[in-house]
Amino acid sequence: MDFDGTLFDTRRAITAAMDAVAWKRRGVCFRSDLIDVVIRNGLTLTEMFRTLIPEIDAVELQSWVSDYRDVYNSSLGVRESEPYPYLETVLQTLHVRTNAIYVVSNKGEASVAAALDHHHLQQYFRKTITARGDRTPKPSPESFLEDILPEIAIEAVEQVLMIGDTEIDLNYARNIGAASCWASYGYGSPETCLPLGPHHVISDLRDLLLHVSQ
């Protein structure tokens, strides 16, 4: 399962952290419509800043990323994010049915862990797989091949269901050979996600229970 836009609504947290860093470094916030675009596209943090600041060089980019993480992880991320409705109820049921739920996110480990711990949800996941500097992020299959596949039987890959809200997640499902479920309540748009042919579409987390067998 993806994190941003699938498990948690983090739009306010991302926007607030982006604004805080931009104000600190340039004395002006990013245009809200531009932030909406990078969130909607499911970009990594590095890709977000490259898109918002095309002229940025590698050294400055790392400074922006570091500042952002400091701000986001200083409690703002938890304070300004919230789980989507019915999340814990759905996770409780899925945990009983499968006992093999993974978070696969391009977000940093600290921010994902803080949100899950704050809402007492960590217990429902077998593993939380997040951004790592030496690994290509989703939609590359690297995280699946390194962290999930060794734990499941190869023949079980066809039983894997990837749930996410953007084209990044749907392409990740395709790249790992799994079925895909588009969370239409999240950040992705129908124009970019539906043409990828998700196997399932959910408009509410409770709908997910219809697609995961007991």
Side-chain angles (χ1 to χ4, degrees), residues 13 24 34 43 49 85-86 123 130-131 133 145 151 157 180-181 196:
K24 170 188 174 182
L34 296 181
L43 302 181
F49 281 124
Y86 314 109
Q123 60 186 311
T130 53
L145 297 175
E151 297 187 359
V157 173
S180 59
C181 178
L196 294 173

Side-chain angles (χ1 to χ4, degrees), residues 1-11 13-14 72 77-78 81-84 87 91 102-117 119 121-122 125 128-130 138 162-166 169 183 185-187 205:
M1 302 181 79
D2 176 52
F3 183 82
D4 291 303
T6 301
L7 298 177
F8 276 70
D9 185 352
T10 55
R11 189 186 298 271
I14 294 170
Y72 195 101
V78 170
S81 300
E82 58 183 356
Y84 281 105
L87 175 59
L91 288 176
Y102 296 81
V103 174
V104 183
S105 175
N106 286 339
K107 204 176 189 70
E109 180 180 7
S111 54
V112 173
L116 294 178
D117 288 342
H119 292 277
L121 298 173
Q122 193 79 258
F125 299 98
T128 300
I129 301 163
T130 53
K138 293 183 298 182
M162 175 62 195
I163 305 102
D165 66 306
T166 69
D169 303 305
Y185 56 82
Y187 306 149
L205 272 167

Side-chain angles (χ1 to χ4, degrees), residues 154-190:
I154 294 178
E155 58 270 19
V157 173
E158 62 186 23
Q159 300 174 22
V160 172
L161 177 64
M162 175 62 195
I163 305 102
D165 66 306
T166 69
E167 57 188 298
I168 298 293
D169 303 305
L170 300 180
N171 281 320
Y172 181 72
R174 180 177 294 177
N175 290 340
I176 67 176
S180 59
C181 178
W182 179 45
S184 65
Y185 56 82
Y187 306 149
S189 68

Side-chain angles (χ1 to χ4, degrees), residues 50-206:
R50 282 179 177 151
T51 300
L52 293 168
I53 316 169
E55 72 279 9
I56 198 167
D57 62 37
V59 174
E60 187 181 10
L61 174 62
Q62 290 309 308
S63 296
W64 280 76
V65 168
S66 178
D67 284 353
Y68 175 94
R69 287 179 172 152
D70 287 344
V71 170
Y72 195 101
N73 294 332
S74 66
S75 78
L76 180 148
V78 170
R79 187 175 66 249
E80 297 296 333
S81 300
E82 58 183 356
Y84 281 105
Y86 314 109
L87 175 59
E88 184 164 16
T89 299
V90 170
L91 288 176
Q92 287 172 340
T93 302
L94 292 178
H95 184 67
V96 170
R97 291 184 184 180
T98 73
N99 194 29
I101 312 172
Y102 296 81
V103 174
V104 183
S105 175
N106 286 339
K107 204 176 189 70
E109 180 180 7
S111 54
V112 173
L116 294 178
D117 288 342
H118 180 77
H119 292 277
H120 310 291
L121 298 173
Q122 193 79 258
Q123 60 186 311
Y124 300 113
F125 299 98
R126 179 177 290 186
K127 184 179 289 185
T128 300
I129 301 163
T130 53
R132 201 175 72 194
D134 61 345
R135 183 163 62 194
T136 308
K138 293 183 298 182
S140 164
E142 285 184 37
S143 59
F144 178 80
L145 297 175
E146 293 177 0
D147 290 336
I148 299 178
L149 187 58
E151 297 187 359
I152 64 175
I154 294 178
E155 58 270 19
V157 173
E158 62 186 23
Q159 300 174 22
V160 172
L161 177 64
M162 175 62 195
I163 305 102
D165 66 306
T166 69
E167 57 188 298
I168 298 293
D169 303 305
L170 300 180
N171 281 320
Y172 181 72
R174 180 177 294 177
N175 290 340
I176 67 176
S180 59
C181 178
W182 179 45
S184 65
Y185 56 82
Y187 306 149
S189 68
E191 292 76 17
T192 59
C193 292
L194 288 179
L196 294 173
H199 296 82
H200 309 290
V201 176
I202 59 174
S203 58
D204 183 303
L205 272 167
R206 292 172 297 182

